Each structure stands twice: as C-alpha cells, then as structure tokens.
Amino acid sequence: MAAVEPAGLDALRSLIGDSIGKHMYDNAVFFADKLVALSGGAPDDVYRLAQAYVFTKQWRRALALLRKHNLSPGEPRFRYLTAKCLAEAQEWDECLSLLGDDVLQVVANADGGGIEGQVGMHAAMQLLKGSVYELQENWPLAARCYTTALKAEPFCAEALDRLVSNHMLSAEEQEGLLRELEPQLRGPNAEWLRLYYRCKLGASEGRNLAAMYVAASDADDGAAGGAADGGAAGAAGSAAPSAAPAA
C-alpha cells in the first residue's frame, strides 16, 4: 500500500474517532483496517481497529487481531480488551486466566490514586472478572470481585448495582461496605452519590431519607401556602372600601 504522510494518518485517526462518535461503526472498521496497514501496525492503531470490532460485536476478529500483533498480554488496556472479547465469546476460563490475582495486583499498583473523571483499569478488570464468575454462578467470587472493584473505585456504580440487585451481600456486609466507601465520597461533587449509596446499602437509610425529604417538602409547601394566604389577605384588605364617616 502506498505510503501516507503523518498528517494523512492523523486525518484517518480523526475520521475513525468521528465515525465512532456518530455510531458509524462499519465505517470506523473500514478506515481503521486501512490505518493499521498504512501505519505498519502501530499499537494505538491496532487498538482502534480492535475497538471498532468490539463496537460491531466481532469479538473473535478482535481477538485474532490482538493475537496477530502480539498485544493481548501487553499493557493493561490490551489485556482488558482481550479479556472482554474472551468473555463475550464465552471463553470464560481463558478470560479468567488473563485476570489472575497477581496480574490485577500489578495493575492496582500502577493505577495509584487514579485519575479524576475516569474509572481505573483495576476496577474495570475486577468488574469484568466478577461478571464472568456471575455467569458461572460462582456467587462468592463474583461478590468478592465486585466489592474489590467498588473499593478501588467508588464511582464504579455498576459493581454496586450487581451486588445489590443479585443480593450478594448480607445486611451487615452492606453496612460495612458503606462505612468503607463513605470517606471516599466526601466533598460537594460527591455528596449526591454518597446519599445514593446510603440508600442502596443502608438497611433503613432509604426510608429515613425519604421521610426527611417528604417532611422538608411539606414544610416548604406549608410556608409557601402561608405566605400566599397572607399576601392574598393583605391584598383583599387593601381593596376593601373605607367605612363611610358617621353622619
């Protein structure tokens, strides 16, 4: 294939990103495939093509691509994408082998404190691993993975939903998890999420908060009604005619 200037490759990358953003996934696959050939199999471009395959649910094509370029056991993003494709292809044992505890510990150490506005790769891997255990109906290990994901990344709300929806924790375990999560959910930007987690994990917290909300709403309505009544009475008094003077 004829050589293309770097600027031309960057234009292709932009086109692929735009196609994905507009849900034109087949278009993204077409141009990403050409980009991989033109760039000589640059890892970032291979990743783009693999992602485009994932968007079109071509799990095995994505696996074949990653293996062809020997990227599946490499850095965490390639390992995670490979494991995701294996899970979707129902190759569960091989998926779990890629997400061993030793590997996840290395990823956790590399994640460090995480990046604001992003779910850490360690949490994402634990969530994926837990979903595979859930499909295998291995509930204790699924619960362990989801709990670890949530502790590693409190904004991994999907892990919380799996735990609660599938009744994987006892009431005592839910209370303990809430106590661990609350210190990480302080601050004005996380207060709403802390209240949500309290409702989900606290046995009686949801009812208490709902009662407080209703009481506060009733109080606000009463105050507004009283002010309106007072205003109306005042207006009526102003509009009433003055008494005629005595003769």
Side-chain angles (χ1 to χ4, degrees):
M1 192 173 286
V4 177
E5 295 293 326
L9 295 179
D10 288 340
L12 269 179
R13 293 174 183 124
S14 178
L15 176 61
I16 294 162
D18 182 68
S19 296
I20 291 174
K22 290 184 170 67
H23 309 286
M24 300 165 58
Y25 300 129
D26 290 331
N27 203 58
V29 167
F30 175 82
F31 286 106
D33 179 64
K34 303 303 178 283
L35 177 62
V36 168
L38 290 168
S39 69
D44 284 348
D45 296 331
V46 173
Y47 189 76
R48 282 187 180 86
L49 178 55
Q51 279 194 311
Y53 283 146
V54 167
F55 284 127
T56 52
K57 300 184 179 181
Q58 300 184 70
W59 318 114
R60 295 195 181 278
R61 289 191 72 180
L63 282 170
L65 175 72
L66 292 167
R67 287 166 174 165
K68 175 184 175 182
H69 291 271
N70 197 33
L71 294 172
S72 56
E75 59 183 283
R77 61 173 175 161
F78 290 111
R79 180 178 290 270
Y80 174 74
L81 190 58
T82 302
K84 176 68 174 176
C85 292
L86 287 167
E88 294 292 348
Q90 299 186 9
E91 301 288 347
W92 296 328
D93 290 339
E94 191 173 354
C95 173
L96 291 174
S97 71
L98 278 179
L99 301 174
D101 290 343
D102 54 340
V103 171
L104 292 179
Q105 185 58 56
V106 172
V107 174
N109 294 338
D111 267 0
I115 300 175
E116 186 175 359
Q118 295 184 16
V119 174
M121 185 58 74
H122 177 232
M125 287 182 170
Q126 288 284 4
L127 179 67
L128 176 58
K129 188 175 182 179
S131 70
V132 172
Y133 281 133
E134 185 180 337
L135 288 168
Q136 294 180 329
E137 299 186 1
N138 191 332
W139 308 112
L141 289 181
R144 188 187 74 174
C145 290
Y146 291 148
T147 302
T148 303
L150 202 51
K151 290 178 181 179
E153 178 53 76
F155 292 96
C156 189
E158 187 176 347
L160 175 74
D161 185 64
R162 298 282 185 93
L163 286 167
V164 175
S165 299
N166 292 301
H167 308 288
M168 292 185 179
L169 300 178
S170 66
E172 184 178 348
E173 288 171 331
Q174 288 188 184
E175 294 285 354
L177 179 58
L178 179 61
R179 284 194 297 271
E180 289 193 57
L181 293 176
E182 280 202 295
Q184 302 180 65
L185 294 170
R186 298 294 180 183
N189 295 329
E191 180 64 18
W192 65 271
L193 187 61
R194 186 174 70 85
L195 292 175
Y196 175 77
Y197 280 14
R198 284 172 63 188
C199 291
K200 294 285 280 188
L201 293 171
S204 59
E205 194 68 35
R207 292 191 297 272
N208 293 340
L209 289 173
M212 290 170 58
Y213 176 80
V214 170
S217 297
D218 289 346
D220 290 342
D221 290 344
D229 292 344
S238 300
S242 302

